[in-house]
Structures are given as C-alpha cells and as structure tokens.
Amino acid sequence: MPTTTPNLGLKKPLGNEIVSRQAYNENLDLLDQNVTEYKREIEDLPRQSITLSHGLNAVNAPRASLLRPKFTGRTLVNLLGKDGKGDRITNMLTINAAATVENEVFKVTTNLTGTEGFAYVDVSSHVSKNGKYFLLIGEVKNGNATNVRLQLSDYASYAPQSQTVTDSLNFNLVWCVFDTNNIDNTSPYRGATIIANGSAGQYVYARKLRLYELTQGQKNELSTLTPDQIAAKYPYVNSVQMVQNPAVKAEGVNLLPPFSQWTNSAGTLTDISLSSISVVKSDVGYKTRSFTFYPIVGQTYTFKITIDISNIGGDIGSGGYYNLSMYDSKNQHIGFLDSPPYATTNGTITITKTFIVPSETKSINIIVGCDIGVTGTFTFSNPMLILGDTIPDHYLPNDPSYLYLQTPLYEGETLEEIDGQWMRTKKWEKKVLDGSLDWSFSIDGAGFKRLYVPNFTATHGAKRNSRITNNQLVGIKYDGKILGGIGTDASFDNIGTGGNDDHLFISVADIDSGWGENYTPTADEIKAYFYGWKMYTRGQSVNTTYDGTGTKGWVKLHFYALGDGSHHSHLNGYADGQVPTASYPEWTPYTLHYQLATPVTEVVPHEGELRVHEGLNQVEVFEGVVVRELANPKYDANNKIYFINHTSASLFSAVANKVEKFLSVFENTKPTLMWGQSFSSQFSYGKTLLGAYEKDFDPTAQYSVTYQALPEEFTAPLLSVDATYDSNIKSTVDTLVDELAKVTTDVTALEMALRNRGLLRKNPIYTAKPSAIQTVVNGTLTNVIFDYPIYDNYNQYNADNKRFTCKVPGYYLISARMWFSENGTGFRYVALRLNESEDLAYVGLPSPTDSAWRSGIQTLRYLNPGDYITVIVRQTSGTTLSISNFSAETAINIVKVGD
C-alpha cells in the first residue's frame, strides 16, 4: 500500500506499485482543497461583525484578534425622580393608608377594614393626554396583607394595574403600561400608586419605583421580554442617568481569578498564593474558599482543579472537595452542578467537571476546601474554569483584556475609535445651575417666581426654545424631582429656554425659596437660593416667608426640605440681613441636561485594549467604571488587615461613589492581586469593600482602585454594542501593522512635544568602581582610581586619565562610598575634589576596632564642561591598608539633577 505525506495526506506509491489515475486525481483534489483554505487566510476579507448584548456574551473567534467595539448612548429619565426609591415619603400622598420607610423600602399600611389603601406620587405634570405611553415598574412584596400591586391611575375611570403579588418572602418585579389616550377628561390628577389590599393594620412593601416614557415600539416590545429582561432594560435610576463610562471585558481560556481574589466562606485560610491554597486541618469544621461567577445560561463550562493530600484522617467524608452551587435572580439556592469523585485519599488528584448552565441560573458559587470532619494537609492548586469543554493540557492563569472609557454617552451619541483615538459625537451637555450664574428676576406668579439666566443658549451652545416635550432638555430640582416644561401651565418647578431670546427660564415655588407672594428678590438673593438657602423672617419660624418687612434670614434648604428637626441649627451664621454667597457640602444643586445646537466631537480618555483568543471567549458589556481613583487604606490592628471602602468611623476609607464591585487594585502604578473583596460586610460603601493582610501591604506605596459604581446613582445601562474582529490571518496582520504604526506615531509625536517643552531629557548618570583592589600607604594622600565604569550614558569617563570629566553643564549630585580593610588603629579620611585643586566635601573618622571602616560622602555642585572629579583618601593605621573593588563597597556616583 502507498504511504501518505504527514501534512496533506498525499498518497506516495511504493516502488513496486503502479500509479493509478484515481490516486493521482485524489492527490490533486487534496492539493486544491488545502490551497483553497490557505488562500482564504490571505484574502482581503472584511472584519467579522457581531452585536454584543448588555451583560455576558459568548464569542467564538476563528483566531486571536483585536476586538473593536462601537458604542451608542442611552438616557433614562425616571419621571418619579428620587421619590420612588423607598428612602423618603416627602412627596408621597395617601388614601385610606399610612406610608412609612424601613431600610430604604416603602411600607404601606391600610387603615380601614376591608378597604384598599393607596400611597401615591402625583405625576400629573408629566403624564397628560398627549398620545404618549408610560411604564410604571417596581419591586413589591406582601407583608401580612392579602396582596399588593401597582397602578398608574387618572383617579377618574382609567387605572391600568400591574401583576398582583402575594409572596411575603421575596420582592417581585411588577409593571403596568399607561396609554395617555385613555385619560378621562374629568381626571383631577395622575398618580403612580402602591395598593395594599387587606384589613386595617395590614401592610405591604415596595421599592425602586420608576416611571419611564415609552415609544410605540418599546411598548410593543414589552410583551416579548422576560421579567429579568425588563428589569435589565428599565432598571431603577435616580432622576436622570445617561450611560456613564462604558466598558467591555473579554476573557478567554481561564475565567477564574487568582485565589487571592476569592473569599473565605468557612473557617480561616491564610496560606494563600495566586494559584494555590494550603490547609493543615486538625479540628472539626469546614475550611473553604469561594468565588462567585455569573455564567451565560445554556452554555457549556468545564471546571478543573488539582488537589494534593497527605496525612488524611478523621471522618473523611468528601475529603478535599469542590462545590458548584447555583443561585437564581433572587439569590435563592436552586441546586448543585458538582458530583463525585472528590479527593479522599493521600496523593494528587486532578478533578474536572463539565456542565451546562440551567435556564434559571443567575450565579454559580464555586467552593473548594475541606469537609467538616476530615484532617490532614491539603493543597488546592491551579483552578481553571473554561468556556466549553476543551481543556488545556497545562495551567493558564486568568488573563482578561479590557477597555474602560471615561465619558458620558447620551441618547443619540456614539463613541468609536477613529485613527487610534476614541471619539465621542457629543450632542448633549450637563450644566450645574448654582449661584455662580447671572440670575435675574422675570415675573411673579401665584405661589411662584419665574427666574432666568440671560443669554444662556448663546453662551452655552444650547438650542433656542428647548422644551422637555421635544426631548431637548431635562431639568432636575435639588431634591431629584424632574422639572416640568415652561409653558405647560402657569406654575412652579418648570424649566425651558425662550423662543425669541437666548434666556433660560426656571420657575421656583415661594414655599421653596421663602420669598413672599408679592416680594421681588434681588439678584444676590436669587443666587443665594441656588446655593441652597431658603429665606425667612429673622425672629420668626423658618417656615415663614419674607414679605419685605423685618430682618431677612436664611436657613439651609437641604435640611429644611428633608424636614430635619434640627434645621434651626443650620442657619447661615451671617450677620442679620447678610445674603449668603456660598453653598455647603450637603447641598445638591439644580442640574440641567440640554441638547447642543451644533454637535461636536471630542477625544475621550481610555485605558486598555480588547482582544479575543482563538476559540470561545466570554465578553462582558457593562458601564459605570471609575478608573484608578486614589484610595486611602485604613489599618485594623485587631485583625491585622488594611481596608479600602470601609464606612466605620475608625476605618473610614470610602471611595467617591457607591461600589457595585472592584475590578483592580494598583500598588503605585502596578496591579496587585493581594486584595480580596467582601460582599457581605455591613460597613461597605455600596456592595463591597477590599481587604489585604498586613504582610501583603506596603505602607510606603500609593494605592488606587478601579471599580464599577452602583448603577442606580451613576449610570444608565447600555442596550448593546456593535463590534468587529479579524476573520483571517491577513486581516489580523494588517490590523496589527496598522495599530503598530498608530502607536509609533503617537509615541514619537508625544516625545517631540515633550522635548519641545523641555519636559523630556536624558540626564547624565555616571557610576564607576575600581577594577582592582588598591593599596593606601600609611599617612599618604592617595588618588583612588575608578577605572571600571558601570553606567555612563553620556560617555563622560575619560580613559586616558581614568576619571569622570563633565560634558554637560549643570548641577550634579556627587557621592562616593569607601571601604578600608579591617584595622582598629588611627583615622581614615575621604575627600571629593574638583579639578585636583578644590575640596568639595570631606569626612574623617576613627576606625572601628572590630570591623572594616566604611563610610560615604556626597555633595551638590555646579559643573562646567571639562571639570573633573577625583576621590582622595588618607589613613593613619601605621601600616598599609587595602581598598575594596566591590561596587557595593567602593564606588563613585555622579548624577545631573538640574540646570
């Protein structure tokens, strides 16, 4: 029979065989087939396009490639402002019920037997008969009533209602859609309502209520989405949030972080490295470490770990084991994915488990450790979690790539890489409306004043005649309320720009400002209001308004509006009648988001570059990333742990925003993996805090953190991201060449700019030592020969006379260290000398009686070209001594430090 070639499998007839036409044709077919495959790899093919949904995605790449995303912005306007969060009832009204707050949750209690109780927020200023649709959505839980539901009612004849919930253990997502075409003409107002159905004294709970305007398409789409998808697409946000700081992370091969990033879930484990945990167990009790990951439902994963055991004993049970524990979206445990065998005998065992993620799974908690009764020495090493079932033959650490962009991204805006820079198409701007603006008085209405900032649109690039109704601006009051549109009615809490001029108008209620019905405030008093001060009549209750008589006084509006009983202590402290001219830390000013008259493009700062590995990759789309914020670690002496983001008084180290999760910790500028997260601490600012053992902490280092901020107070979610990656070898090489050219261009341009500004220079540095041991005769001045340059970046060593000779003028730090052989008699002297004529520095010390004489000397001196430095020594031991030629003991260092 013929043999075959090793690569293509071509048939090679033996010497005694006759070549057949069939074999010949089969060889040609094999050649043609392989040429076609190779040809495809060098053809000009377009990059492969994909759409990444928000959250986790599986991407199967034909080869390793850069991943290039393009982002589209999004804005969520919660028309309930902050009134639906659950932490206050300031603007909540009730019918047949009482409303209170418990741990940022509304509690609604009925007060009439057999009658439903209502707690609602009036949304009439936003929901009117205008042909629009609105989505009321929130989380509800029954207490001890019959049931609970939401409704958006016109309090006449139209009141669409949500699903009814009887569950008293868990919060459930419910929603209803309101069609404004159905509003009854007799409707007195519209209310976003919590309904408690039960007897007197029975109660229900609700939280995170939000009201969003929908398009016809969005309304129709709701029927195709699952509750989890609706929750993800329409999450709770405070007032107005746009996409802030979009991000993408790509992971291939090993999805598990180092063990240092896991947490102790039972017992205390301290012998932890990046890829292993060692446990010496002699007592009863579990000793485990765990990590929670969020999988892609329906995908195949493989878990792999190696366990080494010695001296096993006790009640062995499962010995050294692992768990794959599943949880649903309510964090309820729903089962296990692991199965025996576990490690129950001395020796080494490598465990692998391939599984498919069930549909109801939200997270999987991976646990490794020792069973309750077992004893012995256990080492768990090289944990891996692979997307798919192809297991590498050796351990590969987690090596994610990421892209973090630092910019807001509003509805209608785009963000993409153009010529090596990330460019935002900017259509919206945010402006803080505080007392620094040039406020003026416009008109006095019944119960309110209309104020304005002249020439606002021209000065700030806004559109004229901008209105909420045409989605060109959104105003937010100090308490989070969404302002209505100027012109909709003659009332307060409205905002808009003028149609025939460039002014920004805003109406303020007299009860907010403290200005009496017929009082006209001055420009400075208007500014004081926008700095957070309410006017009243001094000597009277702060609840009064000022009508033009008596002495003017001001109270901090932030505390007054909260109903803080101590607001009398929040008076401004100014002299009688003096107008406040500054704000205070607790004040949250009015803000305005407005559409630009002319869009612009701007360069966006970023960190990272995305890549996908050949094969399956897990790619996550998210947002809200804060990059390298300086941290302030605090030390817990009792537990010998340093903390970041702790909220207790003694360990306060909170970062700027509430944290969803930490992504990286940096020690100086380098990432460190020795900090672990705790998601169960009551003292975290947000959901988690960081801790590092004292042995892993460098008190001289500067630490910074990259984290994902809690979304509801920071960002709206992306819906999806379009991305491309290379599909063959040629496009991959072309991309890399293009990227290399861009990087080289950027680096050289930056280098040139820095050089032109005098910020990039190579300072002369010179270090030398003797090439051989030198002898010093008793009582004789001796020139030490430093004839072995160790580092000399400006060629300042003169080989003819074996010394340093200056070439670049400037100030130099000159130092030398010297080592004499051991002798306990007499003195040793060392001097730095300039041009063999001037001593720059001098030291003379007696020799120790029991060791060699060591000393150092340094000075700062301006040197001109041609100046040279020598080192002169003398000793009085009574005999000849030697000088070491070891660089750690005898050397000269000369460094230019200034001009």
Side-chain angles (χ1 to χ4, degrees):
M1 292 181 62
T3 60
T4 57
T5 60
N7 293 319
L8 299 183
L10 300 177
K11 294 178 180 178
K12 296 168 55 179
L14 301 176
N16 60 351
E17 291 182 323
I18 298 174
V19 178
S20 69
R21 185 179 299 277
Q22 179 181 349
Y24 177 76
N25 289 338
E26 288 175 354
N27 281 345
L28 291 178
D29 289 340
L30 281 172
L31 286 172
D32 186 69
Q33 176 184 339
N34 282 277
V35 166
T36 300
E37 293 176 0
Y38 296 142
K39 182 180 178 182
R40 184 187 179 281
E41 292 297 331
I42 59 174
E43 288 179 335
D44 283 317
L45 295 178
R47 289 173 62 86
Q48 181 69 41
S49 297
I50 55 172
T51 297
L52 303 170
S53 61
H54 185 263
L56 296 174
N57 302 262
V59 176
N60 194 355
R63 63 196 74 268
S65 167
L66 295 178
L67 183 67
R68 288 180 170 170
K70 178 180 179 180
F71 301 89
T72 301
R74 187 182 184 211
T75 305
L76 282 178
V77 180
N78 181 1
L79 296 171
L80 290 178
K82 297 180 181 179
D83 288 334
K85 183 176 182 179
D87 61 347
R88 69 185 190 193
I89 53 173
T90 309
N91 296 316
M92 183 164 281
L93 306 171
T94 58
I95 300 173
N96 299 332
T100 56
V101 169
E102 294 182 359
N103 300 317
E104 296 197 351
V105 175
F106 294 122
K107 181 179 180 181
V108 179
T109 305
T110 61
N111 58 20
L112 288 177
T113 301
T115 302
E116 293 182 329
F118 301 82
Y120 68 94
V121 176
D122 190 342
V123 293
S124 303
S125 61
H126 301 296
V127 180
S128 58
K129 197 163 187 175
N130 53 15
K132 294 182 177 181
Y133 303 95
F134 291 89
L135 171 67
L136 175 63
I137 180 172
E139 299 175 14
V140 299
K141 181 177 74 170
N142 189 23
N144 60 359
T146 304
N147 56 56
V148 56
R149 66 187 185 277
L150 300 180
Q151 78 171 16
L152 187 54
S153 174
D154 68 358
Y155 282 87
S157 61
Y158 179 53
Q161 299 185 356
S162 74
Q163 302 88 342
T164 296
V165 171
T166 59
D167 184 357
S168 60
L169 297 177
N170 303 295
F171 279 96
N172 294 260
L173 188 78
V174 296
W175 64 92
C176 59
V177 176
F178 189 92
D179 182 350
T180 59
N181 292 304
N182 295 326
I183 293 178
D184 193 310
N185 291 329
T186 64
S187 167
Y189 51 84
R190 273 70 63 201
T193 308
I194 306 164
I195 300 178
N197 180 18
S199 301
Q202 293 184 328
Y203 53 86
V204 299
Y205 299 100
R207 67 182 183 187
K208 297 183 178 180
L209 273 61
R210 53 267 199 195
L211 179 65
Y212 295 126
E213 182 182 323
L214 299 180
T215 65
Q216 176 75 56
Q218 290 169 332
K219 170 184 172 294
N220 295 340
E221 182 192 38
L222 284 175
S223 61
T224 69
L225 301 177
T226 66
D228 284 347
Q229 289 172 327
I230 292 174
K233 190 166 186 176
Y234 300 102
Y236 175 85
V237 299
N238 283 345
S239 304
V240 176
Q241 299 292 345
M242 76 298 299
V243 171
Q244 185 78 31
N245 300 356
V248 179
K249 182 174 75 169
E251 296 179 281
V253 191
N254 189 4
L255 304 178
L256 290 181
F259 270 131
S260 59
Q261 305 296 291
W262 297 36
T263 57
N264 289 341
S265 52
T268 301
L269 291 82
T270 58
D271 190 3
I272 301 167
S273 70
L274 299 183
S275 60
S276 68
I277 306 171
S278 293
V279 182
V280 179
K281 187 171 182 290
S282 58
D283 55 352
V284 175
Y286 291 103
K287 288 188 180 295
T288 60
R289 198 159 173 85
S290 65
F291 175 76
T292 298
F293 86 99
Y294 296 87
I296 302 172
V297 169
Q299 284 291 326
T300 298
Y301 291 84
T302 300
F303 174 71
K304 178 182 179 182
I305 193 167
T306 298
I307 306 175
D308 290 285
I309 304 178
S310 61
N311 301 318
I312 193 168
D315 183 3
I316 294 176
S318 296
Y321 72 100
Y322 76 102
N323 277 155
L324 301 173
S325 188
M326 297 181 293
Y327 293 83
D328 63 15
S329 59
K330 297 177 182 178
N331 204 33
Q332 300 296 309
H333 185 256
I334 55 175
F336 294 95
L337 290 167
D338 57 277
S339 60
Y342 304 115
T344 56
T345 59
N346 289 330
T348 301
I349 181 174
T350 297
I351 297 174
T352 60
K353 175 65 178 181
T354 299
F355 57 90
I356 299 174
V357 180
S359 59
E360 67 274 18
T361 305
K362 179 70 173 181
S363 64
I364 297 178
N365 192 30
I366 301 177
I367 300 174
V368 298
C370 308
D371 208 345
I372 188 170
V374 72
T375 60
T377 301
F378 300 80
T379 299
F380 301 83
S381 59
N382 300 338
M384 295 184 70
L385 182 67
I386 298 102
L387 183 59
D389 55 8
T390 302
I391 305 172
D393 57 5
H394 61 285
Y395 174 71
L396 294 172
N398 179 243
D399 184 25
S401 64
Y402 62 87
L403 175 65
Y404 301 150
L405 295 134
Q406 301 294 281
T407 184
L409 204 59
Y410 289 82
E411 195 84 33
E413 295 183 344
T414 58
L415 177 62
E416 61 183 317
E417 187 180 12
I418 300 174
D419 293 332
Q421 293 184 314
W422 282 91
M423 305 297 295
R424 171 191 172 195
T425 303
K426 182 177 178 179
K427 298 181 179 181
W428 286 76
E429 186 63 272
K430 177 183 177 180
K431 180 66 179 176
V432 173
L433 304 180
D434 62 13
S436 65
L437 297 175
D438 187 21
W439 290 100
S440 298
F441 177 80
S442 176
I443 63 171
D444 191 345
F448 72 95
K449 308 286 188 288
R450 182 167 294 174
L451 316 168
Y452 72 97
V453 178
N455 303 315
F456 181 89
T457 59
T459 303
H460 299 281
K463 288 185 175 181
R464 277 190 172 186
N465 199 28
S466 292
R467 294 287 188 269
I468 289 175
T469 53
N470 54 18
N471 296 318
Q472 292 178 334
L473 62 76
V474 182
I476 308 169
K477 194 178 176 181
Y478 63 83
D479 61 357
K481 180 180 180 180
I482 305 299
L483 299 175
I486 286 286
T488 56
D489 53 39
S491 184
F492 52 85
D493 289 343
N494 294 327
I495 194 169
T497 61
N500 299 317
D501 52 43
D502 290 318
H503 304 338
L504 172 71
F505 293 93
I506 187 168
S507 57
V508 174
D510 291 343
I511 57 173
D512 280 326
S513 66
W515 303 322
E517 184 64 46
N518 298 311
Y519 180 75
T520 300
T522 67
D524 286 342
E525 290 168 351
I526 297 173
K527 290 181 178 183
Y529 171 76
F530 285 101
Y531 275 137
W533 300 95
K534 175 193 177 294
M535 186 184 287
Y536 74 107
T537 303
R538 183 82 82 177
Q540 299 182 21
S541 168
V542 294
N543 298 321
T544 62
T545 57
Y546 182 78
D547 61 5
T549 60
T551 303
K552 300 173 183 177
W554 281 268
V555 62
K556 291 180 178 178
L557 182 56
H558 169 81
F559 297 97
Y560 176 80
L562 290 177
D564 185 348
S566 64
H567 57 241
H568 290 275
S569 65
H570 300 302
L571 307 183
N572 63 18
Y574 296 103
D576 285 354
Q578 185 179 358
V579 181
T581 57
S583 189
Y584 45 92
E586 298 86 358
W587 174 246
T588 301
Y590 283 71
T591 53
L592 173 68
H593 301 266
Y594 63 92
Q595 198 173 128
L596 295 173
T598 304
V600 297
T601 57
E602 66 177 17
V603 178
V604 170
H606 74 284
E607 180 177 291
E609 186 79 62
L610 287 169
R611 71 178 187 278
V612 288
H613 296 268
E614 182 175 335
L616 282 170
N617 297 262
Q618 186 159 286
V619 180
E620 183 180 9
V621 175
F622 56 112
E623 57 286 308
V625 175
V626 178
V627 176
R628 295 181 189 254
E629 180 182 313
L630 289 181
N632 182 30
K634 290 298 178 66
Y635 182 58
D636 180 353
N638 293 328
N639 296 300
K640 299 187 183 305
I641 294 176
Y642 282 86
F643 286 105
I644 295 175
N645 206 40
H646 207 287
T647 58
S648 70
S650 60
L651 297 173
F652 189 81
S653 52
V655 296
N657 306 281
K658 290 183 179 179
V659 177
E660 177 77 14
K661 62 181 177 181
F662 284 97
L663 303 173
S664 302
V665 182
F666 299 90
E667 188 176 274
N668 294 324
T669 59
K670 296 182 179 180
T672 173
L673 299 175
M674 302 315 296
W675 289 78
Q677 292 196 66
S678 173
F679 287 90
S680 58
S681 174
Q682 61 177 317
F683 295 109
S684 59
Y685 188 53
K687 293 184 178 180
T688 179
L689 53 75
L690 290 167
Y693 290 111
E694 183 180 29
K695 66 183 179 65
D696 298 320
F697 183 83
D698 181 359
T700 67
Q702 184 180 70
Y703 286 88
S704 58
V705 291
T706 295
Y707 61 91
Q708 184 181 10
L710 196 66
E712 65 189 44
E713 299 182 9
F714 194 80
T715 182
L718 291 157
L719 291 179
S720 63
V721 172
D722 293 328
T724 62
Y725 57 85
D726 294 301
S727 56
N728 68 356
I729 292 175
K730 184 178 186 302
S731 64
T732 300
V733 172
D734 288 347
T735 297
L736 293 177
V737 170
D738 183 51
E739 289 294 320
L740 179 59
K742 290 175 183 176
V743 169
T744 303
T745 300
D746 290 344
V747 170
T748 54
L750 177 61
E751 185 176 285
M752 183 61 69
L754 293 175
R755 287 190 187 280
N756 291 339
R757 297 181 184 181
L759 299 176
L760 186 64
R761 306 182 207 175
K762 184 171 70 173
N763 279 346
I765 302 174
Y766 176 84
T767 300
K769 74 179 189 70
S771 63
I773 295 174
Q774 292 181 234
T775 58
V776 180
V777 178
N778 178 62
T780 303
L781 286 174
T782 303
N783 187 1
V784 181
I785 305 300
F786 293 95
D787 57 350
Y788 189 93
I790 298 172
Y791 187 80
D792 181 15
N793 64 345
Y794 263 80
N795 298 318
Q796 297 186 100
Y797 174 69
N798 189 322
D800 294 334
N801 47 39
K802 299 178 181 179
R803 66 193 180 202
F804 167 90
T805 302
C806 178
K807 290 184 177 181
V808 181
Y811 284 95
Y812 285 78
L813 183 65
I814 306 165
S815 63
R817 54 185 176 271
M818 198 63 56
W819 183 96
F820 282 91
S821 56
E822 183 175 340
N823 184 296
T825 303
F827 277 70
R828 312 290 182 266
Y829 306 89
V830 180
L832 295 173
R833 184 167 288 184
L834 173 65
N835 300 332
E836 295 185 321
S837 61
E838 179 186 351
D839 285 343
L840 302 179
Y842 173 87
V843 62
L845 295 169
S847 179
T849 58
D850 57 352
S851 64
W853 187 92
R854 299 176 176 87
S855 186
I857 185 173
Q858 74 174 25
T859 188
L860 181 69
R861 180 61 181 245
Y862 189 89
L863 299 181
N864 293 300
D867 287 343
Y868 60 91
I869 301 295
T870 54
V871 178
I872 305 299
V873 298
R874 179 173 176 265
Q875 57 92 5
T876 60
S877 68
T879 186
T880 298
L881 299 179
S882 61
I883 295 175
S884 170
N885 70 330
F886 182 43
S887 63
E889 297 172 339
T890 302
I892 186 170
N893 303 287
I894 305 174
V895 180
K896 184 174 180 288
V897 294
D899 295 326

